[in-house]
Amino acid sequence: MDAVVYRLRSQGRRLDTEAVRANGRVGHLRFVNRFRRAGWSAIMLATLSDSNYQYVIPCLDGARLVKIDGGLLLTGWEVHPRGSSYKSQAADRYQQTWWCVSRGQEKQR
C-alpha cells in the first residue's frame, strides 16, 4: 500500500503535533511476518520502502496494529544498529508508534 507514515516518537519520547506533521514520509507500507514457529504467535515487521526497496525510515519490529480509524495506528520497536558489521548485533531499540494513511488521504486530515 502506498502510504504516508508519521512517526509519533523520537528515541522513545512522544513528539508534539507540529513535529509529527513535519516528519511524514511517503513510501510503500508492508506489514509482514518476521518470524513464525508452530505453536508460537507471529512476530510482525512493518516497513516503509521507496521504489528501489530501500527503507525510508527504520523498520518497526514486533509491530502490532492498534487502531483502524481513517488510517492505521501501528506500535512496536524501532531498531537502530550500532555499526555496519554483520558480526556485531548491537543495536538501540526505542518504542515507536506510526500513524499511517493512504497516499492522497493525508491532505484530508
Side-chain angles (χ1 to χ4, degrees):
M1 166 175 129
D2 285 336
V4 179
V5 173
Y6 298 92
R7 293 162 58 195
L8 305 183
R9 297 174 180 272
S10 175
Q11 295 187 340
R13 294 187 187 99
R14 282 186 155 179
L15 295 171
D16 63 35
T17 306
E18 309 297 320
V20 169
R21 287 186 178 150
N23 78 21
R25 299 293 183 258
V26 177
H28 185 76
L29 178 65
R30 295 187 67 213
F31 191 65
V32 297
N33 284 333
R34 181 177 67 79
F35 179 79
R36 176 169 246 149
R37 185 177 230 169
W40 290 26
S41 298
I43 297 173
M44 303 302 289
L45 180 72
T47 63
L48 187 71
S49 57
D50 62 16
S51 59
N52 295 322
Y53 304 101
Q54 300 293 314
Y55 296 135
V56 176
I57 56 177
C59 300
L60 196 60
D61 194 26
R64 291 182 305 119
L65 177 62
V66 177
K67 186 177 183 179
I68 301 174
D69 184 16
L72 304 174
L73 188 65
L74 303 175
T75 189
W77 297 93
E78 197 171 75
V79 180
H80 295 266
R82 287 190 215 143
S84 58
S85 171
Y86 67 91
K87 291 182 179 182
S88 174
Q89 299 298 320
D92 296 316
R93 294 171 52 91
Y94 300 105
Q95 186 178 4
Q96 183 58 271
T97 305
W98 289 358
W99 174 247
C100 313
V101 292
S102 178
R103 192 156 184 209
Q105 284 187 322
E106 74 275 11
K107 294 178 182 171
Q108 296 173 7
R109 289 227 154 244

